[in-house]
Amino acid sequence: MKKRTVLSRLIAPPLCLAMLVTALSGCVPAGTNESTPPSAGLTDSPEFTAAPGPAGQAEYIAAPYTAGSEMPTEYVEPVFYQNDGGPTVSVTYVGVIQQDGKYFKDSDNDQELDPFEDWRLPTEERVADLLGKMTQDQRIGLLLNALNCSPGTLKAEDVYNADGIVNMGILIDMVTKESNLTFEDRRAARDQVFAASNLTDSYVRSGVIRKDTDTETGALFNNALNLMVEWTAVSKGEVNIPFMLISNPMLTGYPQAIGFGAAAAGDGNYDAIQRFAELDAAIWDAKGIHQMYGPQIDLISDPRWSRNNTTYTEIPEDMAGIADALVRGYQHGTDGAQAGDVALIMKHFPGDGAAENGFESHFGMGQWRVYATPGSLEKYQLVGFQAAIDAGLAGIMPGYSRPAADERSAPQSYRGTAIEPEEIGNAFNRTILQTLLVEAMGFDGFINTDSGVITGGPQYGAEDMAEADRFALVINAGCDAIGDSYAVPLDYSGVTEAVTSGKVTGEAFDRATTNRMTNWMDMGMFDNPYRDPAESKKVGEDNAGALASMKEEINHKSVVLIKNHGNVLPLSDTSKKVYLGSYTEKGSNDANVASWTAAIEGAGYTIVGKADEADIAILDVVPRALANGDMYLHELGLIEGKEIEQVDKDTQEKTGEMVEVTTIQDVDKIANVADAVHANGGIVIASINITSPWILTNLEPYCDVLLGSFATSAQARMDVLTGAYKPTGKLPVTMVSCEAVIAVDNNNICASPNDVPGYDKDQYIDAAVLAQSPSGSYAYQDADGSLYVSGFGLRLGD
């Protein structure tokens, strides 16, 4: 049985004489001004059956608000009808049908109970009926997601005016399409308020929210979008398609995703990951956010890839366990995404971690995935995706990249099926999406492209096609939803041409729109797209303590004790003086220093300003995070001012131009600080932020203690140092021993294969290369003899 978060107020409306007279004709008499709210937010079924019609005969309850000819500019409160043993039904501008003591939303406002409105029927039957009632323009509109769909504020206090009235203009930009605000202006301001013209002038019915609001603001924004589309449907005489909010993962206050991998590896199970997902799902559901562009489950296999920190691990079995736990948590089980769930759209299939020499696929030099190792696709890259699919994953997002089918790659198969894709981006690649994903792996959900695959982003192998041809190729290959446009209003001309010209096959068009609406229907969107803001606020308040505890737990569990020379931890003598150093790409970081200062002084220690006065040095080391658009082979050493030759943005060919690269400013001062503190008989502690598997030769030898962190809180790390928390985290990635094991030759071939995770690379590296490594291995080895391979981590006392 699934656990559900129910957002409905169990309050019956005041049954005054007028309401009793009109109980079956409407909660508010027809013709009520759209700015006038009804007397209650929820109608409880038992109290609303005072005058039922004969068994089986439908009675019509008019819409609570009249849809005038002008676009509504005032917020109206949705009205909720609670069914016994069934879903809550919510409306604004359409009516409700009462039949057999049950309530049904009259989404096409025809005062008849259609099959798609009958929540008692199977989803398949409802969707088939719905698609037959939609216009072609509406069905075409389902194929696109708006890429920017955000309210104007994060906090509910900004939404209400002095009289407590919701300001619709704060939630949705009410300017018209004739506004002087240009496409470029909107794209530049990614947090721009979503424009109402996207709802009224086009058929967009899904969009990506890019603000982490409080739960009340989220509910109000969701409601504003849905009342607008409901009004639009009524004004046009069409069936109402509710608005689906999507978001990327929101991890404010948590470590980065790779830190979750460290926590799970330390636990030896994925229970904490599932509990996190269940809690996060409750918050998202309260906001009315129903789909996630994520999480990212690309396996880490190339150390230079700039997105390693936003995925979880290099260990396939851990990735499988994490993926399974995330699906079970966000989707509350393994029976697919339903009401109260968050439908996950995991990415970037079939895994962008096997990036050629670590270059990222947003840019041409990173367009290729290279499977140089026989069997690597099945053995490593797809293990997490298969686990997610087996758990009932709702959606998949293919990455931008394309597979290399030339001599760079070895033949690949999956469960006996040969995978021989053409050299074209994943979203266009029928072999990747149909032969591999659907047929070999058994995926039966919907496929959503990454953003910009038609315009504005990479279209590898399809660059020379006309826009309509790219749309057709993507849809025919298997994609059901396309994230593509920031335009206001959205431009549907290309996708419309693709469909109406016959370039999109009828079979593909039916598949795409069926898959889209199946998810809408399964998640209860057609019955109850609205949220009660008061209930949503309460969900946020009631879960505030649990959220704080969860963030603290994951932060603590993410800390990896990598080195504890001489078992100098835990710290216990608070009379010792502490020197605090901050090392980043740009020097000392004030915010990091402030966080560490509070944690150190909170533990009872005194901070001094000079290393030669200190008994303990705590060095916070945060190397420059690798960037997607770096036009040079990424540097994993902790270095300052190193000159590296740039590459062509499309081909990886070296240009002869040099760029100066710094990952840590003043890195040479670390040795001086260490010498000064050691001269006092003291100890040196370093904490390194592992966004990448750094080469540690300029840090580790000078340290008695080394912590691995992942944008982990300073307080959690200090708790490990003092023993207030016994460390459990394990490395989710293998730290690189030296430049030799990741060297790239003049033919752009890496000494260690891009498609094999670090823990398993040694068997594929030439013996002459391994002989150049201080550890004799791909993995870094410290002064105590420990190999920093994924899964390694010390406990206090080890």
Side-chain angles (χ1 to χ4, degrees):
M1 177 71 74
K2 287 195 172 190
K3 276 182 71 177
R4 299 292 179 196
T5 301
V6 181
L7 292 178
S8 56
R9 290 179 292 165
L10 298 178
I11 305 171
L15 292 180
C16 61
L17 179 61
M19 285 296 290
L20 288 171
V21 171
T22 60
L24 292 179
S25 61
C27 298
V28 176
T32 297
N33 185 280
E34 59 198 33
S35 65
T36 305
S39 57
L42 180 139
T43 300
D44 190 29
S45 181
E47 295 195 49
F48 228 81
T49 55
Q57 181 176 328
E59 299 284 351
Y60 182 67
I61 304 174
Y65 308 101
T66 300
S69 59
E70 298 295 325
M71 179 179 71
T73 58
E74 296 182 4
Y75 179 83
V76 297
E77 294 183 2
V79 177
F80 298 85
Y81 294 82
Q82 180 70 56
N83 280 297
D84 288 334
T88 297
V89 169
S90 57
V91 296
T92 52
Y93 292 105
V94 302
V96 172
I97 293 169
Q98 184 187 40
Q99 182 171 309
D100 301 329
K102 307 294 184 183
Y103 296 106
F104 306 89
K105 184 169 183 173
D106 188 18
S107 291
D108 59 2
N109 228 27
D110 66 352
Q111 303 188 25
E112 295 180 1
L113 182 59
D114 300 302
F116 84 93
E117 296 166 337
D118 191 341
W119 44 261
R120 298 169 298 187
L121 297 177
T123 292
E124 183 178 3
E125 186 175 341
R126 295 183 72 184
V127 170
D129 181 61
L130 169 66
L131 293 177
K133 290 179 167 60
M134 294 173 65
T135 67
Q136 186 181 58
D137 285 342
Q138 284 183 299
R139 292 184 67 190
I140 291 172
L142 297 179
L143 300 173
L144 292 186
N145 291 332
L147 292 184
N148 180 44
C149 183
S150 296
T153 184
L154 303 177
K155 299 178 181 179
E157 62 193 48
D158 299 330
V159 178
Y160 298 97
N161 65 19
D163 297 322
I165 304 300
V166 173
N167 184 339
M168 275 280 281
I170 294 291
L171 294 171
I172 304 179
D173 187 352
M174 306 304 292
V175 298
T176 66
K177 61 184 177 181
E178 288 79 20
S179 166
N180 291 326
L181 193 59
T182 67
F183 167 81
E184 289 76 15
D185 291 335
R186 289 186 180 280
R187 184 163 187 174
R190 291 172 67 90
D191 61 350
Q192 173 66 40
V193 183
F194 191 61
S197 54
N198 263 334
L199 304 172
T200 57
D201 297 338
S202 67
Y203 286 101
V204 59
R205 293 300 177 260
S206 52
V208 184
I209 184 170
R210 300 185 181 274
K211 289 186 176 181
D212 192 358
T213 71
D214 62 38
T215 50
E216 184 178 7
T217 301
L220 289 166
F221 182 57
N222 169 76
N223 289 356
L225 297 173
N226 273 289
L227 72 88
M228 287 293 297
V229 299
E230 198 164 314
W231 172 84
T232 300
V234 172
S235 66
K236 293 182 177 181
E238 297 169 343
V239 60
N240 175 55
I241 307 300
F243 196 94
M244 175 75 77
L245 273 173
I246 311 164
S247 178
N248 289 293
M250 298 178 181
L251 294 177
T252 304
Y254 289 101
Q256 290 186 304
I258 192 172
F260 283 72
D267 280 346
N269 61 63
Y270 313 98
D271 296 347
I273 302 292
Q274 183 167 336
R275 287 189 288 105
F276 153 78
E278 290 169 347
L279 179 59
D280 205 34
I283 301 300
W284 281 45
D285 182 59
K287 295 180 184 182
I289 306 175
H290 302 285
Q291 292 180 353
M292 180 189 293
Y293 270 2
Q296 181 189 330
I297 59 168
D298 308 85
L299 191 79
I300 298 172
S301 58
D302 189 281
R304 292 188 177 98
W305 192 43
S306 57
R307 303 188 75 174
N308 285 331
N309 59 318
T310 52
T311 187
Y312 296 95
T313 182
E314 72 173 19
I315 303 172
E317 294 75 19
D318 276 354
M319 187 65 83
I322 290 169
D324 176 83
L326 289 167
V327 174
R328 290 175 184 269
Y330 278 106
Q331 297 184 184
H332 296 98
T334 60
D335 53 353
Q338 300 179 34
D341 295 346
V342 176
L344 299 185
I345 309 170
M346 286 182 162
K347 58 186 182 182
H348 304 86
F349 188 81
D352 262 4
E356 186 180 31
N357 299 324
F359 287 109
E360 218 291 313
S361 60
H362 278 80
F363 296 86
M365 70 278 189
Q367 63 188 280
W368 297 106
R369 287 191 326 282
V370 176
Y371 304 114
T373 310
S376 64
L377 185 64
E378 181 170 9
K379 182 178 180 181
Y380 305 119
Q381 304 293 329
L382 294 176
V383 175
F385 284 102
Q386 188 65 67
I389 291 167
D390 292 344
L393 177 65
I396 285 280
M397 178 181 288
Y400 293 128
S401 64
R402 55 176 168 169
D406 56 19
E407 68 279 357
R408 290 172 292 177
S409 288
Q412 301 294 322
S413 63
Y414 193 80
R415 294 181 174 176
T417 298
I419 308 301
E420 301 174 350
E422 65 258 61
E423 292 185 326
I424 195 168
N426 296 320
F428 305 93
N429 203 315
R430 184 174 178 83
T431 304
I432 291 293
L433 298 183
Q434 295 300 314
T435 304
L436 177 58
L437 178 59
V438 174
E439 296 168 15
M441 299 183 73
F443 179 66
D444 62 359
F446 65 93
I447 301 174
N448 195 124
T449 75
D450 210 335
S451 305
V453 297
I454 306 299
T455 58
Q459 302 105 30
Y460 302 127
E463 301 94 334
D464 296 332
M465 290 184 175
E467 182 178 307
D469 292 332
R470 283 201 291 268
F471 271 117
L473 186 56
V474 164
I475 297 165
N476 289 337
C479 294
D480 306 309
I482 303 161
D484 203 65
S485 182
Y486 291 92
V488 179
L490 289 184
D491 181 3
Y492 283 92
S493 58
V495 69
T496 298
E497 179 186 345
V499 173
T500 57
S501 66
K503 293 177 178 180
V504 174
T505 68
E507 179 184 5
F509 187 51
D510 287 345
R511 181 215 70 238
T513 53
T514 296
N515 284 347
R516 286 282 270 173
M517 287 298 91
T518 295
N519 181 249
W520 254 256
M521 201 69 76
D522 282 345
M523 299 195 75
M525 292 291 292
F526 277 87
D527 307 308
N528 185 24
Y530 295 101
R531 292 293 178 265
D532 181 328
E535 288 292 334
S536 291
K537 179 181 180 181
K538 187 174 186 300
V539 169
E541 292 172 343
D542 289 351
N543 284 289
L547 272 174
S549 295
M550 180 61 68
K551 290 176 181 180
E552 182 179 10
E553 177 183 351
I554 300 297
N555 272 284
H556 276 129
K557 287 185 173 183
S558 73
V559 180
V560 183
L561 179 58
I562 306 176
K563 182 179 181 181
N564 185 20
H565 179 70
N567 287 321
V568 295
L569 293 185
L571 303 178
S572 57
D573 186 353
T574 57
S575 69
K576 302 289 187 181
K577 295 181 175 59
V578 176
Y579 171 79
L580 174 60
S582 174
Y583 298 88
T584 74
E585 173 196 4
K586 298 181 179 179
S588 183
N589 180 285
D590 291 344
N592 293 351
V593 168
S595 297
W596 269 110
T597 298
I600 293 168
E601 292 180 343
Y605 289 87
T606 300
I607 297 175
V608 295
K610 296 181 179 180
D612 58 11
E613 299 174 354
D615 306 297
I616 302 169
I618 295 179
L619 311 180
D620 185 51
V621 181
V622 183
R624 174 188 182 270
L626 309 181
N628 291 346
D630 288 340
M631 301 298 173
Y632 53 85
L633 200 63
H634 279 139
E635 175 61 51
L636 295 181
L638 305 182
I639 49 89
E640 181 176 12
K642 181 178 179 179
E643 286 201 337
I644 300 177
E645 189 171 0
Q646 290 188 298
V647 300
D648 182 89
K649 66 180 179 64
D650 294 319
T651 66
Q652 294 189 29
E653 294 299 318
K654 293 181 178 178
T655 66
E657 297 181 12
M658 307 301 288
V659 60
E660 192 175 273
V661 175
T662 292
T663 56
I664 294 290
Q665 190 179 121
D666 297 329
V667 66
D668 57 341
K669 294 182 179 180
I670 290 175
N672 297 331
V673 169
D675 287 345
V677 175
H678 284 146
N680 294 335
I683 63 171
V684 177
I685 298 168
S687 170
I688 185 163
N689 193 46
I690 304 176
T691 53
S692 296
W694 306 111
I695 298 172
L696 299 171
T697 48
N698 287 335
L699 176 65
E700 177 274 323
Y702 307 108
C703 303
D704 302 286
V705 173
L706 184 61
L707 298 183
S709 68
F710 311 88
T712 305
S713 71
Q715 185 61 58
R717 286 175 279 171
M718 192 65 197
D719 288 344
V720 166
L721 296 179
T722 63
Y725 183 84
K726 301 298 189 293
T728 59
K730 303 291 185 182
L731 285 174
V733 65
T734 297
M735 307 303 281
V736 177
S737 65
C738 63
E739 292 286 348
V741 299
I742 57 170
V744 175
D745 66 20
N746 291 331
N747 294 315
N748 288 335
I749 305 299
C750 187
S752 52
N754 305 133
D755 57 334
V756 175
Y759 72 88
D760 220 14
K761 284 186 187 287
D762 279 4
Q763 63 180 306
Y764 301 106
I765 301 177
D766 188 272
V769 172
L770 290 178
Q772 300 175 52
S773 168
S775 67
S777 168
Y778 173 86
Y780 184 89
Q781 186 174 42
D782 71 12
D784 290 341
S786 298
L787 275 176
Y788 293 175
V789 68
S790 55
F792 174 77
L794 301 174
R795 306 287 176 120
L796 285 179
D798 288 351

